Amino acid sequence: MSVAGLPGANKSAPSHETSVDVAIVGAGPAGLTAAYLLTKAGLSVAVIEKDPHYVGGISRTVEHEGYRFDIGGHRFFSKSQQVVDLWNEILPDDFIQRPRMSRIYYEGRFYSYPLRAFEALWNLGIVRSALCMASFAKAKLLPNKRVKSFEDWTVNQFGWKLYSIFFKTYTEKVWGMPCDEMSADWAAQRIKGLSLWSAVVDGLKRSLGLNKRPNDGMQTKTLLETFRYPRLGPGMMWDAARDKILATGKGAVLMGHALKQLASDGQGGWRLTASHDGGETVIRAAHAISSAPMRELAARLHPLPQTAFNAKQLRYRDFLTVALKIRADDLFPDNWIYIHDSKVKVGRIQNFRSWSPEMVPDPSVACVGLEYFCFEGDGLWSMDDAELIDLATRELATLGLVSAEQVIGGAVVRQEKAYPVYDEDYAAHVAAMRQELEAAHPTLHLVGRNGMHRYNNQDHAMMTAMLTVENIIAGARGYDVWCVNEDAEYHEAGDEGAQGSLPAARIQPSEDQAAALASLREVPERIAAAKQRDAA
């Protein structure tokens, strides 16, 4: 199979057809990781990406007038040594070490994130601190035994008072839905391991000189103090991955190509149709890897899966970043600040210079990104850029962080489907679709955050791709990619590279499955034969 005739990155092409070993939907971390490893192994790939300019998906870096914006903030930290090694292999010379700092802004005060119990209680004052501890005691004595929602889980962990102060407002701002309608899976995945009781005990030990550890409060063990970061932003990693894929001669990355249809060829392989300004591109492949949102993939699969209804119920949260250039020295040292304040709509504020000084070209100008969580098409999303820049300027002033006169310009970056929503029914819908697709289409592989409708970090998305590549090369689905991040704890705790191997379960196929998988190895030959017949 060959990628001859396919356009390279950042180009469109007239309608044509070609064949490769693997077709990949999406040039984000999962898609590009898969493409890089497959081409390295000698297989041919074609990656389609609907963005006309940027690879990296939500991990891309957008540039405007020399200023670079990280879409959401991406610390390069992983417990998987294999992921760390892959980062170093793709981008060996451009990492810098950066200090880690994030805080919560609440009622004009800053609180460490994750919370430090003694600091939080001190800032809240005696009365509210007493109410927090009483509420915590009640939650421990009389816990809710039917935990279904984010609210149930978090109140059981911290008590109603601390939940209402430090979790409820921000979480509802991010997700646009009440906390009692969100699945408890979200809390279990993202704040597992944070314990108020352990924090209080740890603080008492420190006050008595019995514990000299630097961490304090509701923090997990060994919270990272620094992290690595590409000097020009995370997009630098994925630009390098794209370039290495193209350099092999085995891969093509087709920009501005949107998935129109992914059709089974009836022989275990795939016919992918992508639309672009110049027409359509048809890619025949033995395997297909999709990091597209499950809802979009189901609507474009042929034949239409029975679980298309389930996929249609899946929801996503979108967001936008308003990057403001401010005539001032650095305003705060944080990588980002979480805004727990109902007076403003902004949810989080990034300081791009704190990520990397090279992202801000003028030393006399600070550049911050105000992040707004919204649904595509709602009031915030539909505002024009000038209105959003004005809103962000006013809200910085309202928070007392910057005066409006200091703002000298700005830009807006919109990101659709940034977060898969964990509502009460999402898990059942995902499980139904996964079960059908795995049974009906063993050569279709779902990877990444939106591809699996799972709130994975960048390294977790890469892990799903790495395991998928292992399965494709072996000719058998020997690894369960859904085990990645299944038992997650707070993602910035522990030691980098502490896990020597990828955390996924081996699957032992039955005799029938083994026979079916063996037949899949013949798919490339069948596709080549079919192509010869068509040509004749």
Side-chain angles (χ1 to χ4, degrees), residues 178-224:
C179 287
D180 60 3
E181 294 180 11
M182 290 179 57
S183 170
D185 291 356
W186 164 251
Q189 181 175 328
R190 302 304 287 187
I191 55 180
K192 178 181 177 181
L194 302 184
S195 167
L196 179 58
W197 178 250
S198 297
V200 172
V201 170
D202 182 68
L204 289 172
K205 286 181 179 179
R206 291 179 70 254
S207 66
L208 296 173
L210 302 177
N211 189 347
K212 302 298 185 182
R213 291 183 303 170
N215 287 344
D216 172 39
M218 286 186 282
Q219 296 199 50
T220 52
K221 61 181 180 180
T222 323
L223 183 67
L224 68 96

Side-chain angles (χ1 to χ4, degrees), residues 90-155:
I90 295 173
L91 199 69
D93 302 317
D94 290 291
F95 277 110
I96 56 177
Q97 199 76 20
R98 300 299 296 159
R100 176 209 174 277
M101 185 175 184
S102 298
R103 289 181 294 174
I104 294 169
Y105 180 93
Y106 175 72
E107 291 189 348
R109 290 178 177 269
F110 288 99
Y111 298 77
S112 297
Y113 179 80
L115 290 171
R116 299 184 179 213
F118 275 47
E119 174 195 71
L121 296 174
W122 177 267
N123 283 350
L124 289 172
I126 294 175
V127 174
R128 277 198 291 185
S129 294
L131 291 173
C132 286
M133 295 309 297
S135 177
F136 170 71
K138 179 182 177 182
K140 293 304 168 186
L141 291 172
L142 301 169
N144 183 347
K145 296 183 179 180
R146 297 187 61 188
V147 175
K148 293 181 61 179
S149 69
F150 174 94
E151 183 172 292
D152 296 335
W153 192 96
T154 313
V155 170

